[in-house]
Amino acid sequence: MMKTVAAVCILAAGLAVIVLMTSQNSLAGRDWITYWASGRQLLSHQNPYDQAALAALDRSAGAGNGKVAIIRYPPSGLLFELLLAQFGPRTAGVLWILALIGALVISIRLLRQMMDQTGDRNHLLGYLFPPVLCCLMAGQIGILLLLSFTLFLYLHERHPWIAGAVLSFCLSKPHLMALPLTVLVVWSLGRKRFQILAGGALTLLACGLIPLYFDPQIWSHYLAGFRGEHIENEFIPVLSCVFRVLVHREWQMLQFVPVLCGIAWALAYYWRRRDSWEWLRDGSFLMAVGVLVAPYAWITDEALALPAVLFGLYALPRTGRSVIPYAVLALAGLGETLFAIPPGTGLYLWTAPAWVAWCVYAEWPVRVRERAPAAAS
């Protein structure tokens, strides 16, 4: 009886979210409406990075008259936008939110299965992970990137070609993938297993050619639109932006120093564990650190840290650590999310470091015990 009541409550909450996210009064500020507008532009063989045209399409859908940010993805990441553009704005919004909810459920179920914790209930905390709730509220693509990364973790041993293909969708935001992608290349070279890289390269090539059919000048349009956004003048709540501001605000290249240091650390991290490397454990942690040192990222991008966070939660019985620190961090993040604090404020500077710190705290005793025999030998 209780399970039935809980299922009905979850269904009602899901329907309420869909109605809220797709009502005309709340379209402004939802990322999915800009995805839909970009797809419409591309489907009409027009520039999908034209801010004025996107604003006009947003207004026609009832999204208000505010400034519209262009899609910052490279052309190879516009496949989802093309699919959304096949429908009207309201239908596209409903389908998009349903896709995000479905992607989240599938991701958590697969992670739970891979971590062999089907009898545990810690996975329910994943549905309350603040970054994924931010993605749902904004209609942001971060949850689909989470599904892409989760499918890679699930398939990389048995179906490497497919694993590479699904991982390529994470390159919609390549700046988040610097650390895991670098280690993946080194790992593939060391083991002479190139199927993942080949599958990813072929899929990326196909995804890059499809938009070219609709807009042969799409790459020049992308570069012009990206420069026109003047992202260097925008405050982004990430450590790399703070580093640039503290050292020299005008030197934009300083924002890439943390990710370069992160790549060096990732290679050393992999090399020490190369004989016992596990993508589920080590690769998930690498992804969380990659988001932390990215040149720019928002709270919604931190959905990619969910595998590492869940791994830490499932490690608690083995490490004897308490769940209270995570509960405190998650409640603080949920408070900011539910009070609709804008993602571009400095109040989110703490979240990415917090998830990495949680992973270190939760797994540290196990890692110490693993290193002890190796050091003795």
Side-chain angles (χ1 to χ4, degrees), residues 44 131 160 217 276 319 349 357:
S44 303
Q217 306 299 320
S276 59
T319 60
L349 271 171

Side-chain angles (χ1 to χ4, degrees), residues 327-350:
V328 171
L329 296 174
L331 285 174
L334 286 172
E336 292 187 354
T337 301
L338 297 177
F339 280 103
I341 295 177
T345 68
L347 293 175
Y348 287 102
L349 271 171
W350 65 273

Side-chain angles (χ1 to χ4, degrees), residues 161-372:
W161 285 91
I162 301 175
V166 295
L167 184 64
S168 68
F169 290 105
C170 282
L171 292 176
S172 297
K173 296 192 174 185
H175 54 284
L176 303 175
M177 293 294 297
L179 272 60
L181 193 59
T182 300
V183 170
L184 177 61
V185 171
V186 176
W187 178 84
S188 299
L189 291 172
R191 304 197 178 195
K192 295 182 172 58
R193 296 176 58 180
F194 304 107
Q195 298 96 323
I196 293 176
L197 297 179
L202 290 174
T203 304
L204 200 62
L205 178 63
C207 291
L209 290 176
I210 292 172
L212 277 174
Y213 167 77
F214 294 97
D215 180 10
Q217 306 299 320
I218 193 167
W219 279 100
S220 59
H221 290 157
Y222 164 67
L223 294 174
F226 190 83
R227 286 194 296 266
E229 280 279 275
H230 296 293
I231 195 171
E232 68 276 6
N233 299 328
E234 181 179 345
F235 176 78
I236 302 169
V238 69
L239 295 183
S240 57
C241 183
V242 174
F243 174 76
R244 175 174 68 89
V245 171
L246 291 177
V247 177
H248 197 295
R249 182 184 293 269
E250 304 302 322
W251 294 354
Q252 189 179 359
M253 294 305 296
L254 287 173
Q255 207 152 319
F256 292 86
V257 170
V259 73
L260 293 176
C261 294
I263 289 173
W265 169 84
L267 291 172
Y269 179 79
Y270 165 73
W271 194 252
R272 290 196 301 270
R273 295 162 176 79
R274 63 190 182 278
D275 294 329
S276 59
W277 183 264
E278 296 179 10
W279 276 104
L280 178 59
R281 179 189 63 180
D282 302 311
S284 296
F285 183 63
L286 207 64
M287 177 62 83
V289 178
V291 176
L292 171 65
V293 299
Y296 59 95
W298 286 263
I299 178 71
T300 50
D301 296 322
E302 295 167 21
L304 285 166
L306 180 58
V309 168
L310 278 181
F311 198 93
L313 287 169
Y314 283 131
L316 296 181
R318 292 179 288 126
T319 60
R321 297 289 202 181
S322 171
V323 74
I324 292 176
Y326 175 74
V328 171
L329 296 174
L331 285 174
L334 286 172
E336 292 187 354
T337 301
L338 297 177
F339 280 103
I341 295 177
T345 68
L347 293 175
Y348 287 102
L349 271 171
W350 65 273
T351 53
W355 314 136
V356 173
W358 159 253
C359 296
V360 173
Y361 165 81
E363 299 178 53
W364 185 255
V366 171
R367 293 184 181 273
V368 169
R369 287 198 296 268
E370 288 175 349
R371 284 202 301 269

Side-chain angles (χ1 to χ4, degrees), residues 104 126-137 143 146 299 303 306:
L104 179 59
Y127 293 105
L128 298 177
F129 188 46
V132 300
L133 289 183
C134 282
C135 286
L136 286 174
M137 293 176 68
I143 294 179
L146 167 65
I299 178 71
L306 180 58

